[in-house]
Amino acid sequence: MFSDAALKAQKKRKKRLTADSDLASLRAFASGHLYFGLHWRDHEWIYREWAPNATAVYVIGTKTDWREQKAFALQKIDNNGIWEGVFPPDSFCHGDLYRLRIHWRGGFGDRIPAYALRVIQDDATKIFNAQVWRPSQAYRWESAPPSASPFPLFIYEAHVGMAQETERIGTYREFTDKVLPRIVRAGYNAIQLMAIQEHPYYGSFGYQVSSFFAASSRFGLPEDLKALIDMAHGAGIRVFMDLIHSHAALNEVEGLSRFDGTTYQYFHVGDRGLHPTWHSRCFDYGKPQVLHFLLSNCRFWLEEYHFDGFRFDGITSMLYRHHGLETKFNNYAQYFEDDVDEDAITYLTLANELVHDIRPDATTIAEDVSGMPCLAVPICKGGSGFDLSFAMGIPDYWIKLIKELPDEKWSLGDLWFELTNRRKDEQTISYAESHDQALVGDQTLIFRMIGADMYEHMSAGDSTLKVDRGIALIKMIKLITLATANTGYLNFMGNEFGHPEWIDFPREGNGWSFHYARRQWSLVDDKTLRYRHLAQFDRDCLTVAKDFHSMDDAPLHLIHIDETAKVLAFSRAELIFAFNFHPTQSHTDYPIPMKPGSYRMILDSDDSIYSGHNRLEPNQTYFTMRMGGSDVIRTYLPTRTAIILKPKEKD
C-alpha cells in the first residue's frame, strides 16, 4: 500500500523508541504526577515543581494570607530546575486554596501549579486557585470496567456542562442521574466525555486547557466524576476522555504559558510555539520534560479516574509544523516531508504504548483529518499504535452535499466512495456529525435541512415539505453512515433525536447567554412531537447493528447503484441495505440483484413509528426471481426511504 521509501521513513521514526521505552521504565518515567505537585507523605507535606528559569518560588494561599513567607519557600534541589519544599502537617488542610509565586530575573508572577489536581474559580472574583484535595475518605470504586470486547464501538459524545436543559452549567451528578440512563436506553456502549481537563474559558468547549491534571471543578467534585464513570461501568458503558495534548491555553496565571518567565519551558521557541489560529501554545515534544509531563498525564487519568481510553484531540495540528492549515492532503509524499513533526509522532507512539501497557483493554482514538498512514497500526507493525482514527471526511461530505447540491444531483458513486474509502489495515470511526458540525456559525444536519420550520411544524400531526425532507434524509444519512462504518460509530449528545439549532457557549458576543449551551430533552420526551420518532429510529438502527453483528469485521459488498433512480444497495453480514435517495420518485417493482431465496424486511425508515408515511407493509417477505439471467427481488422503494432485509431462512 505504501512505497518502500515511505515505509523506511516510518521505521526510521520508530528508532526514536530506544531501550529507554521498555514498558517498565516507560511506566516509571510517566510518574511525574506522583513526584511533582503537593503530596501528603509520611505525615508531612511535600511540594515539588519544575521551573528551570526561576530564581525563587513560594507557595502562597489561605495559610499565608496570600503573602510570601519564608516558611513556605521552595528550595532548588538540582541543576535541572526542580524546586522542593517539605512542610509540617498543619501547613495545609483539605480545602485550602493556594498557588505559586515565582520569581525570575527581571520579574515575577503568580502561577497555578503545573500538576495541580484540583483547581477552582471564585464565583465573585472569577480568580482561579489550586485547592488542597485530601478528603477523609478516598473514593471507593464499585464497578470494574466492562470486560467485553471494545469493538464495535457505539460512542455517545457528550459535554457534562451543557447536558442539562436549564440555562446554566450542568454537573457530573446531574449527568449521572439524568443523562447516563438515556445513553443506556439509546443503546450506546461508550461515552466520550469532553471538557474534562480544567479550562479557564468555558466558551472554549474545553479545548483551551490550563490545568492538565485537574478535572474541571465547574461540573462538581472529583468524586462526582469518579461516580459518573463508576456508574457507567456498572451499566456496561466504557468511558473515554477527550484528551487535549495538542496545545495549551495562553493563560499565564492559570496555565503553563510563561510558567517560569520563559515562553519556551514547555513549548517551542518563537513563532513555532504559538498556534496561528487557535491562539494557544504548542508543546515541544522533543523535550524529555514535556514527554514526562504529557505521558504522566495519560497515566494519571487512567489510574486515578479509571477512564477506559482517550480520544487524542487535534492530532493533525501535532503531526505537521504547518498544523494542517490550508493544506490539502492529496498525495502520500506529504506524510513524509520535512513539515512532519517526528517528535510529535514519537510522543504519540510512546503514549499509545504506555496506555496499552497500563490498560491492555484501553482504547485510543486519533482525531486526524490528514489521513496520516499507520496512525492506527500496531507499533509492532511500524505504526503509531492507535486503535482507531476518525473518518473525518464523512461529516464534511454530508454538509457539502446538503449545502451545495439539490438531492437529485447527489452522486451515489461519490457518496459510496466517501463512506467506504479507508485503508484495510486501519480501523476507523464513522459519524454523520459530531460537536464540530453544530458549533455556532454552523448547524446540525437536520436544522440545516428544516430551518425555522422546526420551531412550529414538528408536531406529530403537522408537517411541511421541509420537515418531511429533513426527517426522511436525516434517517437515511444516519443509517447509511452507521451501516458502512468500520468498527466504530459516533453520535453527539442530542443528535440522536434531531436536536435543533446549534451550540453556542456563553461569551461576550451573545451576552453571556446559556440559551444554546444546553440540550432540550423535553423535545424528545414530548409524545406529541416527532423528535421521539427519530430517537426510536436511532435506537433500532443500533439494535440491528448489534443483533446481526453487522460491524464485526463484516465486509461491505456493493450490490447495485443507479444514479438516475438514485438507488443504492449493498450487503453486510447477510443483511441487505437498500436506499432510494430520489427526492420525488418512488420506484415500483424495482429490481435489486440478490442471492436466490426469500428475504424479510426488518427495518423500514418510512414506518410511522419513525415519523414516516407508512408506505410499506411491515415485515413483508420478498422472493427472488430470475430476470435477465440473474436473481433479483422486485420491491416498492418509496422516495427518500431506506429498508433493511435479512434472509428469511436465518430466522
Side-chain angles (χ1 to χ4, degrees), residues 393-628:
I394 293 176
D396 291 342
Y397 189 75
W398 282 122
I399 289 178
K400 180 180 179 181
L401 282 183
I402 293 171
K403 285 177 65 174
E404 300 179 4
L405 293 173
D407 305 10
E408 61 269 18
K409 292 188 177 181
W410 288 11
S411 168
L412 299 188
D414 288 350
L415 176 60
W416 179 255
F417 175 79
E418 292 293 339
L419 290 171
T420 60
N421 178 28
R422 51 182 173 254
R423 303 184 187 100
K424 293 181 179 180
D425 54 352
E426 297 191 56
Q427 305 299 323
T428 59
I429 295 173
S430 295
Y431 57 103
E433 52 187 345
S434 67
H435 72 275
D436 285 328
Q437 284 69 44
L439 290 171
V440 64
D442 212 331
Q443 297 172 345
T444 61
L445 290 176
I446 193 168
F447 195 67
R448 187 179 293 279
M449 292 185 285
I450 297 179
D453 281 16
M454 290 195 80
Y455 298 125
E456 298 180 356
H457 300 287
M458 285 293 285
S459 296
D462 192 5
S463 185
T464 66
L465 290 177
K466 281 189 174 182
V467 170
D468 279 352
R469 173 181 182 263
I471 287 180
L473 281 180
I474 196 65
K475 289 183 290 185
M476 298 179 73
I477 288 170
K478 294 292 186 69
L479 176 57
I480 197 170
T481 304
L482 170 64
T484 57
N486 190 199
T487 48
Y489 174 77
L490 177 138
N491 166 73
F492 178 67
M493 177 175 65
N495 286 356
E496 72 277 9
F497 64 83
H499 198 286
E501 299 174 328
W502 48 85
I503 302 166
D504 189 12
F505 279 78
R507 56 187 173 86
E508 187 175 2
N510 65 15
W512 304 103
S513 170
F514 283 87
H515 183 71
Y516 296 107
R518 59 193 179 109
R519 296 284 90 176
Q520 300 180 60
W521 304 108
S522 59
L523 295 176
V524 70
D525 293 339
D526 191 332
K527 294 183 178 180
T528 68
L529 300 178
R530 303 173 78 173
Y531 296 99
R532 65 188 179 96
H533 300 151
L534 294 176
Q536 181 69 48
F537 182 76
D538 189 82
R539 182 163 54 250
D540 288 352
C541 288
L542 293 182
T543 298
V544 169
K546 288 184 284 189
D547 287 351
F548 295 95
H549 306 282
S550 65
M551 290 169 59
D552 293 359
D553 294 323
L556 286 159
H557 299 289
L558 181 62
I559 295 174
H560 180 76
I561 190 165
D562 186 335
E563 294 287 6
T564 301
K566 297 303 174 192
V567 173
L568 175 68
F570 59 91
S571 65
R572 191 173 195 185
E574 298 186 288
L575 296 179
I576 309 299
F577 300 83
F579 296 80
N580 177 13
F581 280 98
H582 204 288
T584 59
Q585 195 172 76
S586 297
H587 306 301
T588 303
D589 291 333
Y590 192 89
I592 299 177
M594 207 81 71
K595 292 179 180 180
S598 59
Y599 298 82
R600 181 171 63 87
M601 184 173 67
I602 61 172
L603 188 140
D604 164 25
S605 71
D606 194 50
D607 196 308
S608 59
I609 65 171
Y610 308 135
S611 204
H613 297 287
N614 244 16
R615 290 170 288 184
L616 291 171
E617 187 71 25
N619 299 313
Q620 61 182 290
T621 299
Y622 300 86
F623 298 90
T624 57
M625 62 181 68
R626 296 294 290 179
M627 179 179 173

Side-chain angles (χ1 to χ4, degrees), residues 307-324:
F307 277 100
D308 300 295
F310 305 108
R311 169 207 186 250
F312 281 76
D313 173 72
I315 294 295
T316 308
S317 178
M318 300 172 65
L319 294 176
Y320 309 95
R321 292 175 182 171
H322 53 60
H323 306 296

